Amino acid sequence: MENIVEVSTLTKIYELKDKSIEAKLLGPNNIILKTIEDELKLNIIITKSCVYVNNDNLEDINKKIIIIINSIEDLIKINYPFTNIDIINIIKAIDNKQIDDLMKILVNKEVLTVLNSGKAIYPKTVNQARYINAFKNNDIIFGIGPAGTGKTYLAVLFASQALKKNDIKKIILVRPVVEAGERLGFLPGDLKEKIDPYLVPLYDALNDCFGKETVDKLILKGNIEVCPLAYMRGRTLDNAIIILDEAQNATLQQMKMFLTRLGYQSKMIITGDITQIDLNSTYQSGLIQANKILQDIKGIEFVHFERNDVMRNPIVYKIIERYEKYNIES
């Protein structure tokens, strides 16, 4: 939306606390301002350290704009490297009455880990912060929600950090293999080669954290293990973080079997999206059952992500929203 409206036809609603940050507030090529305009579907002008909006805007919308601008000003003060996704998260947090909690998280920037590239990773939404906190304080953690919320990526990064610090001896990556027309026994290669295609998202996170060469060495040494869910029976897993990805495709029996593998000095992180179940209709999802019956056990925590937590391209959030509107399952 282009700012072509004359200031004289608009209403001044706010004056910047620090006049020197006006350029940063607009962002490169006005991307920050355009993001706010696109999300709120209105015209805003920021000039001479003042914020102007259309005269016919409602008072609650004007208050919302002021909160958004205030929040961005506070982040600029601490040199927060925000993007347009952060702006969208701020707007969502205001709508959900979580803006105070979100700002504490963003201002604190509590680092989960530093990637091999040197980039620091820290929570970007309230639920991501809850999820990371759950890792530290529980033995079994469930992350349930739509794609793009960081539930798998953050789990792998947490496990990688624990392995780097020698808090654990092994990371075990587990996934149900549910694909039409193929069974592991008929696929070419050894067990690792058979399951690898199903674990690409987890490998991506490992490579980000360690670098591919180091990941390959850790796999050879047995510090990182990949395993189909069906092969977990009979094991007791000590001194490890075990990540079960795509857990919505675990059957009732498989989920019970998996959870009872937990040994000493170990944690389990179970991630899944109950709207994307690929199981044959004769089977029930073990993730749905676990969510019903394990809620009140000390040491187990469930973190439910929402479409508001999606951290991919902002259009992904809009796609999820539209599919939900029309009640279309994946």
Side-chain angles (χ1 to χ4, degrees):
M1 202 178 288
E2 296 296 327
N3 288 324
I4 57 175
V5 181
E6 290 291 334
V7 171
S8 60
T9 68
L10 302 177
T11 300
K12 185 173 87 169
I13 63 168
Y14 185 70
E15 188 168 341
L16 302 183
K17 292 179 280 190
D18 183 351
K19 296 181 180 180
S20 67
I21 67 168
E22 183 174 324
K24 292 182 179 179
L25 183 61
L26 295 171
N29 299 315
N30 284 359
I31 184 63
I32 295 174
L33 181 59
K34 288 177 182 177
T35 300
I36 299 171
E37 289 183 320
D38 288 344
E39 290 299 307
L40 299 185
K41 296 178 175 57
L42 50 77
N43 184 271
I44 304 170
I45 287 180
I46 300 178
T47 184
K48 296 181 180 179
S49 301
C50 295
V51 180
Y52 297 86
V53 297
N54 295 345
N55 282 319
D56 56 356
N57 280 320
L58 298 175
E59 184 178 353
D60 58 342
I61 296 295
N62 292 347
K63 288 180 179 177
K64 184 174 182 178
I65 295 168
I66 292 171
I67 295 171
I68 294 168
I69 300 297
N70 264 319
S71 300
I72 297 172
E73 282 185 290
D74 290 341
L75 294 178
I76 289 173
K77 283 181 185 177
I78 61 169
N79 295 314
Y80 183 89
F82 56 81
T83 65
N84 59 332
I85 294 177
D86 292 300
I87 305 306
I88 293 170
N89 285 340
I90 287 171
I91 294 171
K92 295 175 194 172
I94 295 170
D95 292 338
N96 295 329
K97 296 180 171 53
Q98 292 183 321
I99 186 61
D100 291 340
D101 292 335
L102 178 62
M103 287 303 296
K104 287 177 185 176
I105 292 164
L106 298 183
V107 170
N108 288 338
K109 285 199 297 187
E110 185 174 345
V111 175
L112 170 62
T113 191
V114 177
L115 300 182
N116 195 49
S117 64
K119 179 182 178 182
I121 299 296
Y122 40 82
K124 307 279 267 183
T125 71
V126 173
N127 281 330
Q128 283 191 356
R130 284 188 58 228
Y131 192 44
I132 292 170
N133 192 56
F135 294 158
K136 300 172 184 177
N137 298 312
N138 296 276
D139 294 326
I140 298 177
I141 305 95
F142 287 83
I144 301 174
T149 52
K151 56 189 185 295
T152 298
Y153 191 72
L154 293 175
V156 175
L157 294 189
F158 174 76
S160 300
Q161 181 71 3
L163 186 61
K164 282 182 177 180
K165 294 165 60 179
N166 294 315
D167 292 339
I168 56 170
K169 292 181 179 179
K170 180 180 284 192
I171 298 171
I172 303 175
L173 307 176
V174 185
R175 188 169 177 177
V177 180
V178 180
E179 290 294 327
E182 289 187 319
R183 295 187 179 184
L184 283 178
F186 296 100
L187 294 176
D190 60 21
L191 180 60
K192 180 180 178 301
E193 290 171 329
K194 292 176 180 182
I195 188 102
D196 272 1
Y198 299 95
L199 295 169
V200 170
L202 290 86
Y203 280 127
D204 287 345
L206 286 170
N207 292 338
D208 282 351
C209 199
F210 291 106
K212 188 177 185 309
E213 285 188 15
T214 301
V215 171
D216 291 341
K217 290 177 182 176
L218 290 169
I219 290 173
L220 285 173
K221 290 169 62 178
N223 297 115
I224 295 175
E225 178 186 346
V226 297
C227 185
L229 178 57
Y231 287 60
M232 295 292 288
R233 189 175 300 279
R235 302 182 65 181
T236 300
L237 305 170
D238 296 326
N239 295 303
I241 292 180
I242 311 101
I243 299 172
L244 173 59
D245 192 34
E246 300 290 345
Q248 74 275 4
N249 291 326
T251 65
L252 306 182
Q253 294 78 11
Q254 286 177 329
M255 181 62 75
K256 178 183 176 183
M257 177 271 292
F258 174 77
L259 293 173
T260 54
R261 300 307 95 200
L262 184 67
Y264 290 101
Q265 303 299 316
S266 290
K267 291 179 183 286
M268 284 180 166
I269 305 174
I270 299 98
T271 69
D273 179 356
I274 57 176
T275 69
Q276 296 191 30
I277 297 172
D278 301 313
L279 288 169
N280 184 293
S281 58
T282 58
Y283 294 100
Q284 296 180 55
S285 170
L287 181 61
I288 291 178
Q289 184 190 62
N291 187 44
K292 289 179 180 177
I293 69 174
L294 302 179
Q295 288 281 352
D296 59 349
I297 298 178
K298 186 176 181 181
I300 299 178
E301 184 165 349
F302 288 79
V303 178
H304 291 269
F305 292 90
E306 302 171 356
R307 65 169 185 259
N308 292 339
D309 297 298
V310 171
M311 295 302 297
R312 292 177 181 168
N313 187 305
I315 199 170
V316 174
Y317 169 83
K318 298 181 187 300
I319 290 170
I320 293 171
E321 186 178 48
R322 189 58 56 87
Y323 272 90
E324 287 182 353
K325 177 180 178 182
Y326 290 96
N327 197 27
I328 300 173
E329 294 186 357
S330 302

